[in-house]
Amino acid sequence: MTRRAIGAQTLRVPVPGGYAAHMLKVTTETFTPAPASHVPVISHVQAWQGFIAYLTPLRLMLALGLASLGALLLSPIFATPLPVLLGRTLFVGLLGLLAFSAAGQWPRRLPQWMARWLLQVLVVVVAVPGATLVVYLIAVGGDIESLLRSPNRLMGFMWIAGSGLLVAPLLAMGALYRQRDAEARSEALRFELERSELERQALDGRLRLLQAQIEPHFLFNTLANIRALVETGSPQAAPVLRSLIAYLRAAMPRLQDETASVGDELALVRAYLELMHLRMPDRLEFRIEVPADLQVLRCPPMALLTLVENAVRHGIDPSEEGGCIVVAGALSEGDRVASLWVSDSGVGLAQSSGAGTGLRNLRERLKVFYGPSARLDLTENSPSGLRAEIRFDV
């Protein structure tokens, strides 16, 4: 028996961009053996529960079955009737099992030099001849002198005790090996589950840090658009501001929603595009064409919104003629791979300022959310514009 000592391991998560580095501290368990003198003492109730729990029907049947087999093998050399011999071997086998189970629980504290498994084997070695002696003392009415004067009884005692001493320790060692092996597998499985949970917590923390960087980026860009309208004295400033307030009231509760779906994201995209359409009604058109079976899939908050905002800011806004934004999606490869894309007819990748903080962080968030196979591809549209496509396994 060992005590689990808990150590701490620190996982540092760097955050890209101009924000200060953040650190996510994850505590992992490391298991180191402790000295026997520091092993926690279990209570009497726990000891009795462990003693009874070990005596499973399978173990009882195995002990009695081996005892019965021993009686059948010894019966040709015994003058004793088989039922009597069977009763003796069954008693010895059952008592050996009880002794093995009891030694696994008592004494509750062992000396530092004594291992629990060694005590169990030694107890079985003593219990088997002791149980055989009890059987023969019962047969002679407790007269030990009569037992010592009978060569046949002494020979029977030696055969049963010797056979038990040959087989019982081997069985005890085998049982201990299987028990330790099962405990090791259980411990390995538990550690793997804990490690997976810690990794999930680390990824969740990383996703929150990246998302915290995305949200102010989006808000600052939108407020900059409103400021430009106000500075130019545009009559659209007040309606755009009202639309922004209404949009934020609906959008903010969803920004931290980890169970958001593609449909929820499309609602935010539609509200944002309507807001941008108020700002430049003659220069922006949009369509949303995402199938219903795609809208139920999980989606990182503000993933599509980041692509749409990028299309407006770097594609439509710099273009003198404006353009059209299409948000669409499809399933491919036997409905195993989902694709969501935002396509615009703006100035394209060559004339835009390239990928900014939003797209860099979106790539990180997609891999955290969907796994390493998720990706974000940017391709040129013909004759102009850009297509940003998210692909991930369903």
Side-chain angles (χ1 to χ4, degrees):
M1 297 177 63
T2 60
R3 184 185 63 179
R4 298 183 181 91
I6 300 177
Q9 176 180 342
T10 300
L11 175 63
R12 296 183 180 273
V13 182
V15 178
Y19 288 82
H22 293 269
M23 180 180 69
L24 177 66
K25 185 174 183 181
V26 178
T27 302
T28 59
E29 290 190 353
T30 57
F31 304 99
T32 56
S37 59
H38 294 136
V39 175
V41 179
I42 61 176
S43 66
H44 283 291
V45 175
Q46 290 174 321
W48 277 106
Q49 289 175 347
F51 172 75
I52 296 174
Y54 187 81
L55 301 176
T56 62
L58 179 61
R59 290 191 175 101
L60 289 171
M61 291 177 59
L62 179 62
L64 297 179
L66 290 174
S68 301
L69 179 62
L72 292 175
L73 294 175
L74 292 175
S75 62
I77 59 176
F78 272 73
T80 306
L82 179 59
V84 177
L85 179 60
L86 179 61
R88 293 174 180 176
T89 57
L90 289 177
F91 178 82
V92 173
L94 184 59
L95 193 60
L97 178 63
L98 294 175
F100 181 81
S101 178
Q105 305 297 328
W106 294 282
R108 291 179 295 163
R109 185 185 296 275
L110 293 177
Q112 188 171 357
W113 51 268
M114 173 66 74
R116 178 68 62 178
W117 68 268
L118 179 60
L119 175 65
Q120 289 181 272
V121 173
L122 292 177
V123 166
V124 170
V125 170
V126 174
V128 168
T132 308
L133 178 61
V134 170
V135 166
Y136 276 91
L137 287 177
I138 294 175
V140 297
D143 187 358
I144 191 169
E145 292 184 1
S146 175
L147 174 61
L148 296 176
R149 288 196 300 267
S150 174
N152 290 336
R153 288 192 173 94
L154 285 176
M155 185 62 64
F157 168 81
M158 294 177 61
W159 270 106
I160 295 177
S163 301
L165 288 175
L166 179 65
V167 175
L170 297 178
L171 292 177
M173 293 294 293
L176 287 170
Y177 174 79
R178 289 192 300 271
Q179 180 180 348
R180 296 296 184 270
D181 184 60
E183 290 175 354
R185 289 197 302 270
S186 176
E187 190 74 10
L189 178 59
R190 189 185 69 83
F191 182 78
E192 182 65 24
L193 291 175
E194 290 181 352
R195 188 176 66 85
S196 299
E197 177 64 18
L198 291 171
E199 289 179 351
R200 185 194 66 80
Q201 292 175 6
L203 291 178
D204 287 347
R206 188 180 181 188
L207 180 60
R208 291 190 186 97
L209 293 174
L210 292 172
Q211 184 173 312
Q213 194 173 6
I214 289 288
E215 290 166 9
H217 177 73
F218 159 69
L219 293 176
F220 292 154
N221 287 346
T222 306
L223 290 173
N225 291 332
I226 296 178
R227 185 184 66 180
L229 290 176
V230 172
E231 290 176 349
T232 58
S234 171
Q236 292 291 330
V240 170
L241 184 58
R242 285 195 298 268
S243 298
L244 175 62
I245 293 173
Y247 164 76
L248 291 177
R249 284 175 177 170
M252 291 307 291
R254 298 182 183 178
L255 295 180
Q256 300 292 341
D257 187 4
E258 298 179 358
T259 62
S261 65
V262 174
D264 296 330
E265 186 73 7
L266 290 177
L268 296 179
V269 166
R270 184 180 298 276
Y272 174 79
L273 287 173
E274 290 174 351
L275 177 64
M276 293 298 102
H277 182 68
L278 284 174
R279 186 173 69 87
M280 40 185 173
D282 300 329
R283 300 176 57 241
L284 174 62
E285 297 179 0
F286 68 88
R287 300 195 311 271
I288 298 178
E289 302 170 348
V290 178
D293 52 352
L294 268 178
Q295 296 188 23
V296 299
L297 300 179
R298 294 171 61 244
C299 181
M302 301 187 67
L304 285 175
L305 194 61
T306 300
L307 297 181
V308 171
E309 187 226 359
N310 192 73
V312 171
R313 181 174 178 80
H314 301 293
I316 305 300
D317 221 7
S319 174
E320 295 181 2
E321 297 83 10
C324 178
I325 294 178
V326 178
V327 182
L331 289 171
S332 60
E333 301 181 18
D335 293 345
R336 296 194 303 271
V337 177
S339 299
L340 295 169
W341 63 85
V342 175
S343 178
D344 69 78
S345 58
V347 298
L349 187 62
Q351 300 182 42
S352 68
S353 58
T357 300
L359 293 184
R360 287 199 303 269
N361 283 351
L362 178 57
R363 283 193 171 94
E364 291 285 336
R365 295 173 63 213
L366 290 175
K367 292 186 181 298
V368 169
F369 195 86
Y370 290 120
S373 61
R375 68 177 191 265
L376 171 62
D377 298 328
L378 301 179
T379 56
E380 290 277 5
N381 276 337
S382 180
S384 65
L386 183 70
R387 170 171 165 147
E389 181 176 1
I390 297 173
R391 290 177 62 86
F392 58 92
D393 294 335
V394 178

